[in-house]
Amino acid sequence: MTPPTLSLSLRTVPLLLAALLASCGGGSEDSGGASSNTPYQGTLLNGTKCTVRYYAQSQPRQSAGTDPLYLTQWYLKNTGRLTGYSGLAAGEDLQVENVWASGLRGENIRVAVVDDALEVTHQDLAPNVVEGASYNYVSDGSWQRGSPWPLPCTSNQTHGTAVGGVVAARDSNGLGGRGVAPRASLVGYNALANDQDSEVLDALVRDQGKNHIYNNSWGAEDDGHFNTPASRSAQVGTILNGLRNGRNGLGSIYTFAGGNGGANGDYSVLDGNVSMLGTIPVCGTNAAGKRAPYSEPGPNLIVCAPSSDMGQAKGSSLPDVTTTTLQNQYTAKFNGTSAATPMISGVIALMLQANPNLTWRDVPLVLARSARQVDPTNAGWTSYGGYHYNHEYGFGMADATAAVQLARSWSSVGGSSTLRQCGPYSATVNQAIPETTPVSDAVLENPFADASGLSKAAVNGVTSRISAAGCGIQHIEHVEVVLTATDDTGARAHPSAGDLQITLTSPAGQTSTLTTPHLCYNISGQQTNCQGLVDFSFGLSRHLEEPAISGTSSDWTLAAADRRTGNTGRLRNWSITLYGR
């Protein structure tokens, strides 16, 4: 079968979309926001066919005052109490207040929101929006491609505006809440509005000499398939361009949402967008300090940030995220790894303000080293070399205070020019993947119930070893495994790749679970066999700072087992590439 092509989706939990839209009220269809860089009063700033319209008008003067919604923003300061909710754990937040008190609020750090739209005229965003620097990809009447107005056109294009508010809603102006980096600069690129890969790629390197961070709260559909972007080679090349040339050679920073399919068994590393070299995949926790049910585990994850707890059939007593929405309004219902990702963008903005010389390689290292071990009794935690890792949480919860403190004294590991590469080393296996102890239907429906299983090698399966002998990398920063599984004849793709459990174990004995038995869904939401495991690339962060060779061992071991009866196949080949210093 042909592997599925990528369909981009904004990473909010679908169950919450109606609630989010319902909170957009206020303001009539024609009562647009204001702008500080208007051509002239009354000009229509977006398309003539838009149902939500924006007209140029004078921006109201900002006043000083307490942000009235700040007390509801538990992810900035979690006291353990919030009216109308229960179960919050005090201190389970970004630990950001001390950073603000030290004088850092993101000044002069520029964050590009690559999304469906950004209400650059919003009263709580406009003071931080860079005049004339945003880019509109839609052409409709007065709304021409290339204008600096990436505005919403319909009432359901709320996503980017919510993301922008999480990063950099203005603080101390007597309006709404505040962002994690409330004085950072914002630009908006509505590259997802037309669903064109070429426009997304353009946005990822637009103004790369001026933008510091590109926030991407989107990814493949959360359907469980091995999703390789249709334009993977172009996307890899685009991001490498940003890493080499962005920020005048220090490298652009790319944050990506880790995915919202966890409640259905989806796995973050199966989305080819969020495991490429140079991306920072973000997971989500709730206000009690546990993995949000929708947040996808995976060996590609770097850090988590707080978000909602929704996605459970029984609902939740825990709060969502409060942020900006359309027509100068606010919502208390933003959610998903879409909300967690801009929090990490905000933390990185504070880190870059503290140390502007951090390279794209330094940033994930600082985040990993300074992360807080959340949910410490979770069985999935493993420790090595001063790091803690968990497939559910990456290296833990981002801690803004610790990250900024470490960033100030960080000795750079260098940029793209000094990154070392070993491999690709390849192996042709062409062996049957044996059926072993089958998983139950309950495990298929909730494969992450036993988190400890994600850190154990696949047993009683086929194994293959590749030696990294001669590789001088002492500190790994990224691992790429490319793998193909076929049917029994070896001529076609594996008929049900979701049956497989595949792991990679390093010479030092640390294990990444590349995939675990899970269900997949078609476009109608019906269960179907999982597809796409042909030359599929798994990008791993789990082996960060490990050596390529440990002692006398240079072998990286791949193990594969079939955990469901029927639909058998073969492990044809695989390769591994190591990056680091």
mmCIF file of all heavy atoms in Angstrom, residues 476-497:
data_model
loop_
_atom_site.group_PDB
_atom_site.id
_atom_site.type_symbol
_atom_site.label_atom_id
_atom_site.label_comp_id
_atom_site.label_asym_id
_atom_site.label_seq_id
_atom_site.Cartn_x
_atom_site.Cartn_y
_atom_site.Cartn_z
ATOM 1 N N ILE A 476 26.260 12.685 22.188
ATOM 2 C CA ILE A 476 25.248 12.628 21.129
ATOM 3 C C ILE A 476 24.228 13.745 21.340
ATOM 4 O O ILE A 476 23.820 14.029 22.473
ATOM 5 C CB ILE A 476 24.553 11.256 21.128
ATOM 6 C CG1 ILE A 476 25.514 10.200 20.580
ATOM 7 C CG2 ILE A 476 23.262 11.269 20.309
ATOM 8 C CD1 ILE A 476 25.004 8.782 20.711
ATOM 9 N N GLU A 477 23.806 14.374 20.252
ATOM 10 C CA GLU A 477 22.765 15.397 20.294
ATOM 11 C C GLU A 477 21.515 14.992 19.521
ATOM 12 O O GLU A 477 20.430 15.525 19.780
ATOM 13 C CB GLU A 477 23.323 16.721 19.765
ATOM 14 C CG GLU A 477 24.448 17.267 20.638
ATOM 15 C CD GLU A 477 25.118 18.492 20.039
ATOM 16 O OE1 GLU A 477 24.431 19.283 19.357
ATOM 17 O OE2 GLU A 477 26.338 18.653 20.240
ATOM 18 N N HIS A 478 21.667 14.060 18.579
ATOM 19 C CA HIS A 478 20.512 13.601 17.800
ATOM 20 C C HIS A 478 20.869 12.265 17.163
ATOM 21 O O HIS A 478 22.017 12.048 16.768
ATOM 22 C CB HIS A 478 20.158 14.617 16.706
ATOM 23 C CG HIS A 478 18.916 14.289 15.937
ATOM 24 N ND1 HIS A 478 17.655 14.494 16.431
ATOM 25 C CD2 HIS A 478 18.740 13.765 14.693
ATOM 26 C CE1 HIS A 478 16.747 14.120 15.541
ATOM 27 N NE2 HIS A 478 17.383 13.676 14.476
ATOM 28 N N VAL A 479 19.879 11.378 17.108
ATOM 29 C CA VAL A 479 20.034 10.081 16.443
ATOM 30 C C VAL A 479 18.921 9.955 15.416
ATOM 31 O O VAL A 479 17.754 10.251 15.712
ATOM 32 C CB VAL A 479 19.950 8.914 17.449
ATOM 33 C CG1 VAL A 479 20.017 7.568 16.723
ATOM 34 C CG2 VAL A 479 21.055 9.020 18.492
ATOM 35 N N GLU A 480 19.275 9.506 14.219
ATOM 36 C CA GLU A 480 18.277 9.236 13.201
ATOM 37 C C GLU A 480 18.353 7.772 12.793
ATOM 38 O O GLU A 480 19.421 7.278 12.421
ATOM 39 C CB GLU A 480 18.464 10.116 11.971
ATOM 40 C CG GLU A 480 17.384 9.877 10.912
ATOM 41 C CD GLU A 480 17.551 10.734 9.670
ATOM 42 O OE1 GLU A 480 18.715 11.009 9.305
ATOM 43 O OE2 GLU A 480 16.541 11.129 9.079
ATOM 44 N N VAL A 481 17.212 7.084 12.896
ATOM 45 C CA VAL A 481 17.089 5.702 12.449
ATOM 46 C C VAL A 481 16.110 5.674 11.283
ATOM 47 O O VAL A 481 14.994 6.206 11.392
ATOM 48 C CB VAL A 481 16.581 4.789 13.582
ATOM 49 C CG1 VAL A 481 16.283 3.381 13.059
ATOM 50 C CG2 VAL A 481 17.608 4.723 14.707
ATOM 51 N N VAL A 482 16.528 5.097 10.171
ATOM 52 C CA VAL A 482 15.654 4.939 9.009
ATOM 53 C C VAL A 482 15.402 3.446 8.829
ATOM 54 O O VAL A 482 16.353 2.648 8.784
ATOM 55 C CB VAL A 482 16.279 5.536 7.737
ATOM 56 C CG1 VAL A 482 15.351 5.338 6.547
ATOM 57 C CG2 VAL A 482 16.564 7.021 7.947
ATOM 58 N N LEU A 483 14.137 3.051 8.723
ATOM 59 C CA LEU A 483 13.775 1.641 8.816
ATOM 60 C C LEU A 483 12.690 1.282 7.812
ATOM 61 O O LEU A 483 11.791 2.085 7.541
ATOM 62 C CB LEU A 483 13.300 1.347 10.240
ATOM 63 C CG LEU A 483 13.002 -0.084 10.666
ATOM 64 C CD1 LEU A 483 13.277 -0.245 12.160
ATOM 65 C CD2 LEU A 483 11.543 -0.447 10.395
ATOM 66 N N THR A 484 12.781 0.063 7.275
ATOM 67 C CA THR A 484 11.741 -0.460 6.385
ATOM 68 C C THR A 484 11.313 -1.842 6.848
ATOM 69 O O THR A 484 12.159 -2.723 7.082
ATOM 70 C CB THR A 484 12.245 -0.554 4.934
ATOM 71 O OG1 THR A 484 12.477 0.762 4.435
ATOM 72 C CG2 THR A 484 11.218 -1.245 4.037
ATOM 73 N N ALA A 485 10.001 -2.033 6.996
ATOM 74 C CA ALA A 485 9.409 -3.348 7.271
ATOM 75 C C ALA A 485 8.477 -3.690 6.120
ATOM 76 O O ALA A 485 7.715 -2.834 5.660
ATOM 77 C CB ALA A 485 8.657 -3.341 8.595
ATOM 78 N N THR A 486 8.535 -4.928 5.659
ATOM 79 C CA THR A 486 7.748 -5.350 4.505
ATOM 80 C C THR A 486 6.752 -6.442 4.884
ATOM 81 O O THR A 486 6.724 -6.916 6.026
ATOM 82 C CB THR A 486 8.661 -5.891 3.394
ATOM 83 O OG1 THR A 486 9.212 -7.152 3.829
ATOM 84 C CG2 THR A 486 9.798 -4.923 3.089
ATOM 85 N N ASP A 487 5.981 -6.897 3.897
ATOM 86 C CA ASP A 487 5.144 -8.070 4.088
ATOM 87 C C ASP A 487 6.021 -9.315 4.014
ATOM 88 O O ASP A 487 7.243 -9.237 3.879
ATOM 89 C CB ASP A 487 4.010 -8.105 3.061
ATOM 90 C CG ASP A 487 4.503 -8.274 1.627
ATOM 91 O OD1 ASP A 487 5.734 -8.386 1.420
ATOM 92 O OD2 ASP A 487 3.665 -8.286 0.720
ATOM 93 N N ASP A 488 5.421 -10.487 4.094
ATOM 94 C CA ASP A 488 6.194 -11.727 4.135
ATOM 95 C C ASP A 488 7.002 -11.960 2.866
ATOM 96 O O ASP A 488 8.045 -12.618 2.895
ATOM 97 C CB ASP A 488 5.260 -12.924 4.369
ATOM 98 C CG ASP A 488 4.689 -12.945 5.784
ATOM 99 O OD1 ASP A 488 5.393 -12.489 6.704
ATOM 100 O OD2 ASP A 488 3.546 -13.405 5.959
ATOM 101 N N THR A 489 6.545 -11.427 1.748
ATOM 102 C CA THR A 489 7.244 -11.641 0.485
ATOM 103 C C THR A 489 8.407 -10.690 0.311
ATOM 104 O O THR A 489 9.274 -10.906 -0.534
ATOM 105 C CB THR A 489 6.285 -11.463 -0.707
ATOM 106 O OG1 THR A 489 5.941 -10.076 -0.839
ATOM 107 C CG2 THR A 489 5.025 -12.301 -0.534
ATOM 108 N N GLY A 490 8.427 -9.623 1.075
ATOM 109 C CA GLY A 490 9.463 -8.612 0.938
ATOM 110 C C GLY A 490 9.225 -7.633 -0.183
ATOM 111 O O GLY A 490 10.034 -6.735 -0.418
ATOM 112 N N ALA A 491 8.093 -7.784 -0.876
ATOM 113 C CA ALA A 491 7.832 -6.950 -2.045
ATOM 114 C C ALA A 491 6.988 -5.729 -1.732
ATOM 115 O O ALA A 491 7.025 -4.739 -2.472
ATOM 116 C CB ALA A 491 7.136 -7.779 -3.127
ATOM 117 N N ARG A 492 6.225 -5.776 -0.665
ATOM 118 C CA ARG A 492 5.320 -4.676 -0.334
ATOM 119 C C ARG A 492 5.533 -4.243 1.106
ATOM 120 O O ARG A 492 6.214 -4.907 1.882
ATOM 121 C CB ARG A 492 3.862 -5.104 -0.540
ATOM 122 C CG ARG A 492 3.535 -5.480 -1.976
ATOM 123 C CD ARG A 492 2.078 -5.871 -2.104
ATOM 124 N NE ARG A 492 1.737 -6.232 -3.482
ATOM 125 C CZ ARG A 492 0.537 -6.629 -3.863
ATOM 126 N NH1 ARG A 492 -0.456 -6.714 -2.975
ATOM 127 N NH2 ARG A 492 0.316 -6.944 -5.127
ATOM 128 N N ALA A 493 4.917 -3.117 1.450
ATOM 129 C CA ALA A 493 5.013 -2.604 2.810
ATOM 130 C C ALA A 493 4.350 -3.558 3.798
ATOM 131 O O ALA A 493 3.472 -4.359 3.437
ATOM 132 C CB ALA A 493 4.349 -1.232 2.901
ATOM 133 N N HIS A 494 4.774 -3.495 5.044
ATOM 134 C CA HIS A 494 4.171 -4.320 6.095
ATOM 135 C C HIS A 494 2.670 -4.065 6.131
ATOM 136 O O HIS A 494 2.226 -2.909 6.106
ATOM 137 C CB HIS A 494 4.788 -3.993 7.452
ATOM 138 C CG HIS A 494 4.503 -5.014 8.504
ATOM 139 N ND1 HIS A 494 3.270 -5.140 9.102
ATOM 140 C CD2 HIS A 494 5.295 -5.985 9.057
ATOM 141 C CE1 HIS A 494 3.309 -6.115 9.990
ATOM 142 N NE2 HIS A 494 4.529 -6.638 9.980
ATOM 143 N N PRO A 495 1.852 -5.122 6.180
ATOM 144 C CA PRO A 495 0.400 -4.928 6.087
ATOM 145 C C PRO A 495 -0.231 -4.279 7.308
ATOM 146 O O PRO A 495 -1.330 -3.734 7.216
ATOM 147 C CB PRO A 495 -0.132 -6.357 5.899
ATOM 148 C CG PRO A 495 0.915 -7.228 6.512
ATOM 149 C CD PRO A 495 2.218 -6.547 6.226
ATOM 150 N N SER A 496 0.454 -4.307 8.453
ATOM 151 C CA SER A 496 -0.113 -3.697 9.660
ATOM 152 C C SER A 496 1.025 -3.330 10.606
ATOM 153 O O SER A 496 1.274 -4.015 11.606
ATOM 154 C CB SER A 496 -1.098 -4.654 10.344
ATOM 155 O OG SER A 496 -1.721 -4.021 11.455
ATOM 156 N N ALA A 497 1.706 -2.235 10.298
ATOM 157 C CA ALA A 497 2.899 -1.846 11.054
ATOM 158 C C ALA A 497 2.583 -1.495 12.502
ATOM 159 O O ALA A 497 3.484 -1.459 13.342
ATOM 160 C CB ALA A 497 3.587 -0.674 10.371
#
